[in-house]
Amino acid sequence: DAGITQSPRHKVTETGTPVTLRCHQTENHRYMYWYRQDPGHGLRLIHYSYGVKDTDKGEVSDGYSVSRSKTEDFLLTLESATSSQTSVYFCAISELTGGLRFSTDTQYFGPGTRLTVL
Amino acid sequence: AQTVTQSQPEMSVQEAETVTLSCTYDTSESDYYLFWYKQPPSRQMILVIRQEAYKQQNATENRFSVNFQKAAKSFSLKISDSQLGDAAMYFCAFSSGSARQLTFGSGTQLTVLP
C-alpha cells in the first residue's frame, strides 16, 4: 500500500465548468503523476511533478493544468471541462526501491476518479 | 518516443492452465524498465512484475514470469496455474529517463474459464 488517495472518486459535471481533482500521498514520494484512461488507449500521461512547484507536461496535457504546493498533494485542474475529458483519472507515485545504476522506481497507483462531463 | 504494443485485445485460459500475454515495444534508449500491471473490475491498477532492461535474467513473481528478449524488444508475461482471480485487464508498460513516466500498451483482457 503506497498510501495514495484520490478525491472525489466520482464526479459528474457540465461542459464549461472548472473541475479540480486531488491526489494525496502520505509517504513523501518525490514523483507524482496524473494519467487518464480511455477505452482502447490504456493509460496516457497528462502531467507529472518531480517536486514541490516542479511540474512538466505529458503526452495529453492540453486542457489540463496541475499544481503541487506541498509534497503530499498534487492537483489536476480542468479549467473548462469538455465532453472529451470524460475519462477515468489515475494518480500515481514513484516508489524508490533501490540504488543500483539508477533509481529502480516503480509506480503505484491511486484508486482512480471517474469523471463524466455532460 | 516510446511505443508499446499489445496485439491480443482478448485472451482466455482454462483454470489451472498456463497462458502467455504478448507485448512488444519500440525505443532508442538502452536503459529502461518494463512492467506488467493488472486491472481487475475494481479498476485498481496493481503491479504484477517488473523487469530492468540491464538484467538478463527474467523476472519471476510466484506464478508470474516474463520472457524478456531485449534484442527483439519483446516482453511477454506467462501466468502459470491460472486462477479465477487472475481474470483482469493486463497492461504492459515502459519506463525510462529521470522522470520515470510510463508508456502503456492498450491492454489484454484475460478471461479465466472454470
Side-chain angles (χ1 to χ4, degrees):
Chain A
D1 181 6
I4 308 165
T5 57
Q6 293 185 231
S7 59
R9 295 292 312 279
H10 299 88
K11 186 172 183 64
V12 179
T13 190
E14 294 187 349
T15 298
T17 60
V19 176
T20 295
L21 308 182
R22 179 185 185 231
C23 178
H24 179 77
Q25 56 136 329
T26 58
E27 300 186 14
N28 206 34
H29 301 292
R30 179 183 175 194
Y31 284 84
M32 299 183 75
Y33 311 80
W34 277 107
Y35 294 86
R36 62 178 287 174
Q37 182 178 22
D38 304 294
H41 287 280
L43 278 73
R44 292 179 292 173
L45 182 66
I46 304 171
H47 282 279
Y48 64 94
S49 170
Y50 46 96
V52 173
K53 297 184 180 179
D54 292 323
T55 65
D56 206 347
K57 296 179 179 180
E59 178 188 356
V60 291
S61 59
D62 288 348
Y64 302 94
S65 62
V66 291
S67 65
R68 192 170 179 196
S69 58
K70 47 187 178 179
T71 300
E72 58 265 36
D73 288 326
F74 191 33
L75 304 180
L76 176 70
T77 298
L78 292 65
E79 300 290 347
S80 178
T82 68
S83 58
S84 65
Q85 293 176 312
T86 293
S87 188
V88 178
Y89 291 86
F90 285 95
C91 175
I93 58 89
S94 279
E95 178 89 32
L96 181 63
T97 58
L100 302 177
R101 288 176 56 193
F102 53 98
S103 300
T104 56
D105 278 16
T106 299
Q107 288 191 27
Y108 293 87
F109 287 81
T113 293
R114 181 174 292 278
L115 175 67
T116 301
V117 183
L118 302 175
Chain B
Q2 285 71 236
T3 59
V4 178
T5 302
Q6 294 180 249
S7 59
Q8 307 153 314
E10 298 177 346
M11 291 196 70
S12 63
V13 62
Q14 209 71 35
E15 194 175 5
E17 297 296 312
T18 296
V19 64
T20 298
L21 309 183
S22 300
C23 174
T24 59
Y25 59 95
D26 189 23
T27 183
S28 58
E29 302 197 30
S30 57
D31 288 330
Y32 52 88
Y33 299 94
L34 294 162
F35 303 86
W36 280 97
Y37 284 90
K38 167 185 177 182
Q39 187 178 43
S42 66
R43 200 172 65 203
Q44 179 70 51
M45 293 290 289
I46 301 167
L47 177 70
V48 175
I49 200 165
R50 177 183 68 191
Q51 175 78 44
E52 294 92 333
Y54 65 88
K55 288 188 176 179
Q56 294 187 347
Q57 185 174 6
N58 289 326
T60 62
E61 288 289 342
N62 301 313
R63 298 182 294 107
F64 299 87
S65 62
V66 299
N67 182 7
F68 174 46
Q69 301 291 326
K70 190 172 184 179
K73 296 180 180 175
S74 170
F75 182 61
S76 61
L77 174 70
K78 185 172 82 171
I79 306 174
S80 304
D81 186 26
S82 297
Q83 301 175 0
L84 295 177
D86 294 334
M89 181 73 86
Y90 286 81
F91 291 99
C92 178
F94 173 102
S95 170
S96 67
S98 60
R100 306 166 178 86
Q101 62 262 45
L102 291 170
T103 300
F104 283 85
S106 55
T108 296
Q109 182 68 51
L110 178 67
T111 300
V112 180
L113 304 171

